[in-house]
Amino acid sequence: MYQSHRDEEYLGEPYYGDGSVYVSSPTPTRRRMIIAAASLVALLVGGVAVDRIAAVRAESRTAKAFQDGMGTADRPSVHVRGFPVLNQLAAGSLDHVDLTAHDIPSDGSTRPLPVTKLTVGMDGLKTSGDADEAHADGVTATAFLSYADVSSALGVQVSQGDDSGRVDATVSLPLVGDVTVSAAVSAAGGNSIAFTDVRAEQGELLPPLKSLLDRALDEPIPLRNVPEGLRLRSVTTSEDGIDARFTGRSVTFRPDSSSA
């Protein structure tokens, strides 16, 4: 079939016999646009990097203040929320900071109960010129107390109860065997956990065993391994331990700032 030479023409870029394709260089206007776009990308990437460095420094500062105040073996993990952080630092206040600490130790009668895990959310966190101190406008926190830690503190074996909000406490003596009682767990004054409504569940509650349980459960246990200014609001039980929830306004983290 006849086909015109015009139909056979290559309508793309000019073609040369050696197989190369000629590509025209960008126009001056297009070149300036490319350079401007590349500069903007570089500026944004650099700004993000600088902002992240500022965030890491703020996180490290907050972690140090908390570690010094609570006496933890390891520094807690800290994450500063929001972007850009540099603007927040310039304003003197971080919008929101999340902190997670593990194994806050007990300290005799002043801090009788260790905290297995503490998660803290802080709003309006301000840092002073002192690297050991930080101040938050509002704080919410949850202290998780494992049954193993609670058992060690009370001197009786504590486990989850059959009903919600209750725990079982078991004691044993040679020749007598095990005795288990059930107790309701609740928040009490002074940031304390109270064990009330004690009921016999298993075994005969002989005087020696009753004495052991009375010493363990009669008096509320203070939770002093939390920053000063937090107040205990509620206590719930789970399969693995007890969750104590706190809130606070105008809370300062500094050395020896545990709740009294």
Side-chain angles (χ1 to χ4, degrees), residues 127-204:
T127 55
S128 68
D130 184 354
D132 292 336
E133 184 174 298
H135 178 86
D137 292 336
V139 177
T140 59
T142 298
F144 171 71
L145 318 168
S146 71
Y147 287 130
D149 283 342
V150 175
S151 298
S152 296
L154 295 181
V156 298
Q157 187 64 41
V158 179
S159 59
Q160 184 182 29
D162 292 335
D163 299 327
S164 176
R166 300 186 70 87
V167 296
D168 287 343
T170 301
V171 293
S172 61
L173 285 177
L175 304 178
V176 176
D178 295 342
V179 171
T180 299
V181 298
S182 171
V185 183
S186 61
N191 283 359
S192 298
I193 294 179
F195 300 93
T196 60
D197 189 24
V198 179
R199 309 169 186 169
E201 292 287 326
Q202 175 186 329
E204 185 179 357

